[in-house]
Amino acid sequence: YKRERGLPVLDREREEALIRKNVGAFPDEELKSYYADFLRGVMKTSRAFQEDKINGVTVAFCGVPGAYAGIAAKKIVPGARLVAKKDFRSAYDAVTDGECTLAVLPIENSTAGEVAQVTDMLFNGSLFVTGIYDLAIRHSLLGIKGTKIEGIKKIVSHPQALAQCESFIQKHGWEIIACENTAVAAKKVAESGDPTLAAIAAGEAAGLYGLSVLAESIADTAVNTTRFAVLSRAPGSLKSSGVHSVIMFTVRNEAGSLAKAIDIIGSAGFNMRALRSRPMKELLWQYYFYAEVEGEISSPKGEEMMKKLSGCCDRLKKLGSFTYPATIA
């Protein structure tokens, strides 16, 4: 109704009238103020749902427009309203706090390995993984309009991008400057107006910041892919083929506990595609494990596997299931 008539989602006067009406009919005087707060929370949730239906789902990502995470989010959720956040934690919390419906965060790069900070948030946080997508990373050299490669003296980018383009940089003998994000690097070059400064970033960032693409595909290897996870407050529900699942766990401090956990997963018929360990910050020399398996862990055999794992694991967490592989161009 609101979409068809161009009405705003929030009608504050109408909401307050409904709250007064319902609170007035509430029999317990002591609880009336709490009931009013409850109703405001319900209406806030309703508004978030309406915003998603009318204007598109809100998706948080780390960086500024033109960042690879933003590019991935746009491809994964076409038509979404993208919300740029300053860091991984801010993007994660935007979903936890209800500001955004989804977050798209990197979890692993084919050359640089896992993104440890994101993995730690997955273990300690409350969000679920509802999708994992592979994005081919193609670094380009960006400079202000009229810049020639011969005149460049300094390169700015994220440390990983600088490392991935090391041969290209060394060939030209450029000075390197690290910054927090490839798109931030492009923005800095645009704002500087310096023809001797160039950025390594996605080619899409050039159009956003009025820069020229001076060279394309400059990474040392053509095989450079980042896996992005889609995070949600609720788990996905999949009953199709090609489903993968992620579980995270700690094992008891007993001989053979990890081997026993791995054997339980294999014996249940779940092919393990990845197993990584991370140190637990609160316990010295203790570790938790991230395992990605083929199959749906909410199936009867998955539930039986989880039951058996609980016998040798101190902490056990279903992180989510999703259809994989999924590659975005």
Side-chain angles (χ1 to χ4, degrees):
Y1 182 91
K2 291 178 179 178
R3 179 172 54 225
E4 290 171 356
R5 288 160 179 77
L7 299 175
V9 168
L10 173 60
D11 184 340
R12 194 174 301 281
E13 185 176 334
R14 171 65 173 159
E15 286 194 2
E16 290 302 320
L18 285 172
I19 290 171
R20 287 193 300 270
K21 176 183 176 182
N22 284 278
V23 170
F26 197 72
D28 193 322
E29 290 293 331
E30 183 181 3
L31 296 179
K32 276 190 174 183
S33 63
Y34 298 101
Y35 183 52
D37 290 341
F38 168 76
L39 291 176
R40 289 189 175 93
V42 171
M43 289 179 178
K44 179 181 177 182
T45 300
S46 175
R47 289 199 304 271
F49 176 77
Q50 292 175 60
E51 287 282 2
D52 286 353
K53 287 295 183 181
I54 294 173
N55 300 313
V57 173
T58 49
V59 181
F61 71 96
C62 176
V64 299
Y68 285 109
I71 294 169
K74 188 181 294 185
K75 292 176 180 291
I76 295 168
V77 193
R81 291 177 289 148
L82 302 187
V83 180
K85 293 295 180 179
K86 64 179 180 179
D87 51 37
F88 295 142
R89 169 56 65 185
S90 298
Y92 189 98
D93 288 347
V95 179
T96 302
D97 298 339
E99 177 189 353
C100 295
T101 306
L102 304 171
V104 171
L105 294 176
I107 58 170
E108 187 179 10
N109 178 266
S110 58
T111 60
E114 72 171 328
V115 182
Q117 184 183 353
V118 175
T119 305
D120 287 344
M121 287 190 292
L122 296 178
F123 181 67
N124 294 303
S126 61
L127 300 185
F128 296 90
V129 174
T130 58
I132 289 183
Y133 297 81
D134 295 345
L135 177 70
I137 304 300
R138 298 183 179 89
H139 294 311
S140 295
L141 185 70
L142 311 182
I144 65 171
K145 300 288 187 181
T147 294
K148 303 294 183 184
I149 289 183
E150 295 77 14
I152 294 171
K153 296 180 180 179
K154 296 171 289 185
I155 297 292
V156 60
S157 194
H158 186 275
Q160 281 189 7
L162 292 169
Q164 291 164 1
C165 302
E166 184 179 10
S167 297
F168 187 81
I169 294 171
Q170 288 184 348
K171 175 184 174 182
H172 293 86
W174 292 324
E175 177 187 344
I176 61 173
I177 303 170
C179 74
E180 60 270 33
N181 187 275
T182 56
V184 170
K187 187 177 180 182
K188 286 185 176 181
V189 170
E191 292 173 346
S192 73
D194 185 353
T196 68
L197 179 67
I200 293 175
E204 289 89 336
L208 289 172
Y209 299 108
L211 300 175
S212 294
V213 178
L214 307 179
E216 296 180 302
S217 301
I218 62 173
D220 295 347
T221 174
V223 183
N224 185 4
T225 300
T226 295
R227 304 179 81 204
F228 287 92
V230 180
L231 307 180
S232 172
R233 290 185 295 275
S237 179
L238 297 174
K239 298 298 180 184
S240 59
S241 60
V243 173
H244 285 209
S245 300
V246 173
I247 58 175
M248 304 181 87
F249 58 90
T250 62
V251 294
R252 294 175 182 170
N253 189 21
E254 301 171 355
S257 289
L258 178 57
K260 184 177 180 180
I262 294 172
D263 183 61
I264 289 172
I265 294 171
S267 297
F270 288 86
N271 181 37
M272 189 181 299
R273 299 298 302 270
L275 178 65
R276 299 196 294 269
S277 66
R278 287 283 303 152
M280 298 178 67
K281 295 179 181 179
E282 66 274 18
L283 296 173
L284 189 64
W285 312 125
Q286 297 292 313
Y287 299 83
Y288 72 83
F289 298 90
Y290 170 104
E292 187 174 319
V293 301
E294 294 179 352
E296 170 58 80
I297 54 176
S298 294
S299 63
K301 71 172 185 177
E303 295 291 350
E304 181 63 25
M305 176 191 73
M306 296 296 288
K307 182 178 178 180
K308 290 181 179 178
L309 281 173
S310 65
C312 62
C313 297
D314 287 324
R315 292 177 63 180
L316 182 60
K317 179 178 182 178
K318 294 180 183 179
L319 198 59
S321 298
F322 46 89
T323 303
Y324 191 81
T327 301
I328 48 180

